[in-house]
Amino acid sequence: MKLKGQVALITGAARGIGSSIAEGLAGCGADVVIADINHSDASETAKRLGLSGVKTMAVRLNVSDAGEVAKAFEDIIKEFGRLDILVNNAGITRDNLLLRMKEEDWDAVIGVNLKGVFLCSKEAVKVMSKQRFGRIVNIASVVAFMGNQGQANYSASKAGIVGLTKTIAKEYASRNITSNAVAPGFITTAMTDALPENVKEEMRKAIPLGRFGAPEDVANAVLFLVSPEAGYIT
């Protein structure tokens, strides 16, 4: 229960990687806020995690909307009085080759994946700076460093997250706020399940361990980065 007494907000947490991260944080004693654009699923996840004895809250949130983000943080502080951990996990894909990619698909992915991290982090550091404590973890991707065919928008958004994460780390270390990114490879989720088998097989061949990761693998990395043991990592 090393996170008992702390409050964590996880975006895109209704299912998949976000849900697994929220479950891990709750398992360590943190009260959790499940934020997702799908409020019914977020409510179900919050209800399930609340059975473990921690306090939970479900918030419908479009992270690309500045007004919604500000209101969500206002509601969270009203309910809990503090925010110790922010995990920026919300993300979408709108894949296509560069020449075929529509401008609205570019804007949608950058809006959720990158602008969303900016908006949520901006609100979080306001609270965390006053507390002189905070942990921000952003979910990037290996494609931030490798690129990926058909994912110009997604790769750019995740590369942007890396640069933003490093900048937050430098700006807020003096306030005892750490900022880190986790860049998962191929993780088995509903999003990746939709890929054709031949594509998944090619990806599997490129992985040294010869298997795909699970949401729990990402959650374990996040749990370490928000723990007292990682207090010097930013």
Side-chain angles (χ1 to χ4, degrees):
M1 304 296 281
K2 63 178 70 177
L3 300 179
K4 191 171 179 58
Q6 295 191 28
V7 178
L9 164 62
I10 311 94
T11 67
R15 52 198 178 111
I17 291 173
S19 175
S20 185
I21 291 169
E23 187 171 343
L25 291 166
C28 289
D31 295 327
V32 292
V33 180
I34 308 299
D36 203 282
I37 199 161
N38 188 325
H39 188 259
S40 60
D41 283 358
S43 296
E44 282 299 314
T45 300
K47 186 177 178 181
R48 175 171 57 83
L49 296 182
L51 297 175
S52 64
V54 301
K55 193 173 180 180
T56 66
M57 177 182 180
V59 176
R60 187 205 175 276
L61 180 61
N62 175 1
V63 295
S64 67
D65 186 309
E68 282 196 28
V69 171
K71 177 66 166 57
F73 273 79
E74 185 181 311
D75 292 344
I76 291 164
I77 298 307
K78 191 180 293 183
E79 178 70 22
F80 293 96
R82 61 185 296 114
L83 180 68
D84 303 281
I85 297 164
L86 168 64
V87 182
N88 284 304
N89 168 74
I92 61 170
T93 57
R94 295 287 187 275
D95 295 351
N96 219 327
L97 295 175
L98 182 62
L99 278 174
R100 297 175 184 168
M101 187 171 287
K102 296 176 182 176
E103 184 179 355
E104 54 263 38
D105 289 336
W106 172 273
D107 290 344
V109 170
I110 296 297
V112 173
N113 296 11
L114 182 56
K115 183 184 177 184
V117 176
F118 158 70
L119 291 174
C120 290
S121 298
K122 185 177 180 181
E123 292 298 325
V125 295
K126 292 178 187 177
V127 180
M128 294 173 176
S129 292
K130 290 177 183 176
Q131 297 172 174
R132 294 283 172 167
F133 178 86
R135 300 286 178 259
I136 297 174
V137 181
N138 301 320
I139 305 301
S141 168
V142 292
V143 301
F145 310 99
M146 298 163 53
N148 199 28
Q149 289 181 338
Q151 289 195 314
N153 48 6
Y154 189 78
S155 299
S157 71
K158 295 300 185 176
I161 286 174
V162 174
L164 178 57
T165 301
K166 292 179 177 181
T167 299
I168 294 170
K170 290 189 173 185
E171 288 185 356
Y172 290 95
S174 63
R175 304 291 179 91
N176 196 28
I177 299 170
T178 65
S179 173
N180 292 287
V182 176
F186 192 105
I187 305 298
T188 303
T189 65
M191 188 187 295
T192 56
D193 282 344
L195 292 169
E197 281 303 319
N198 63 317
V199 173
K200 288 194 275 191
E201 187 54 38
E202 284 302 309
M203 289 180 170
R204 189 182 285 109
K205 289 177 183 175
I207 301 171
L209 286 174
R211 63 173 178 84
F212 300 140
E216 293 76 18
D217 295 317
V218 182
N220 287 334
V222 173
L223 289 175
F224 170 68
L225 289 170
V226 302
S227 73
E229 289 83 357
Y232 192 62
I233 299 174
T234 194

